[in-house]
Amino acid sequence: MFDPTRLAALVAVAEAGSITRAAARLGYTAPALSQQLAKLEREAGAALLVRHHRGARLTAAGELLVVRARRVLDEMDRARHELSRLAGLSGGRLRVGTFTTAGIHLLPPVLSAFRRAHPDVELSVTDYEPPGGIAAVASGEVDLALTHAYEPGPAAPVPSGVCVEPLLVEELVLITAVGQVLSEGTGRLPVTELAGRPLISSAPAHPPRRGVENALAEVGATPAVVCESPGYALVCALVSAGIGMAVVPEMVAAMSPTPLSVRRLEPAAFRRTISVVHHGERASGAAATLCALLRGGFGRATSAQ
């Protein structure tokens, strides 16, 4: 059987005439969309696209499949619409909480998919610094929220009636300006190598900073914090400019618009877990639907990294 998501990707490329333009329309990166199309070609057992410098065009097999795919997707849209009415998703409101990194890099394509399937549901998005999203769900300010937790670090308390469901686990990595000495190796860098190095960090209580400082304290060393910044975007920009180095989540490093070198650390115990907070079986139909999309969307983001 053909995956409907991949069929939709092929139709989007046929309409846009380019993988890059289709990816932007669907909320994917171009490499992630190319991966989906390659899997569809394996399912079809035939080449579906011919890529050229101006975009992409369908092969004969691709044209045949697009005709059928449009019919299949139209029928699925009708089915979703009918099921939405049954599930109470033809109206109402869905309130979503998020934090900045997920809100910029992961949430938009998932909300886009939700909007296409349920255009009558009113959406609102509010930013919460973790673990604030947990309290927001518990108090009823939002219907679900994205949050994160760092390891090593203390776990946030979870109120009764609230579920915190992990979606994605990523390592914390060292970022440096391109060409720095510590960026030259390929293996994991012992965290003790950061002793005395110029670090750009968040507030003293921020878990990545505490984790690095505690690891160094165990061997009688301390980092040299040369700058504190509340936001990862500014941290990456300062690192790229050669002001210092920093320890950040993999996603932050991968999505940085400024050039960086990335090195994994030893031990590999420094991690960030991104989770969705919801009311479990008491979640509304809209919230449960978005949770399902988040599970699929975050899995796709993980495989694309």
Side-chain angles (χ1 to χ4, degrees), residues 73-85:
L73 294 171
D74 284 345
E75 286 298 319
M76 292 183 68
D77 282 339
R78 291 190 187 97
R80 276 194 292 265
H81 182 70
E82 292 169 5
L83 289 171
S84 293
R85 289 184 179 276

Side-chain angles (χ1 to χ4, degrees), residues 105-121:
H105 300 302
L106 294 176
L107 189 59
V110 176
L111 287 181
S112 178
F114 182 90
R115 169 66 72 199
R116 289 195 302 272
H118 311 292
D120 296 329
V121 177

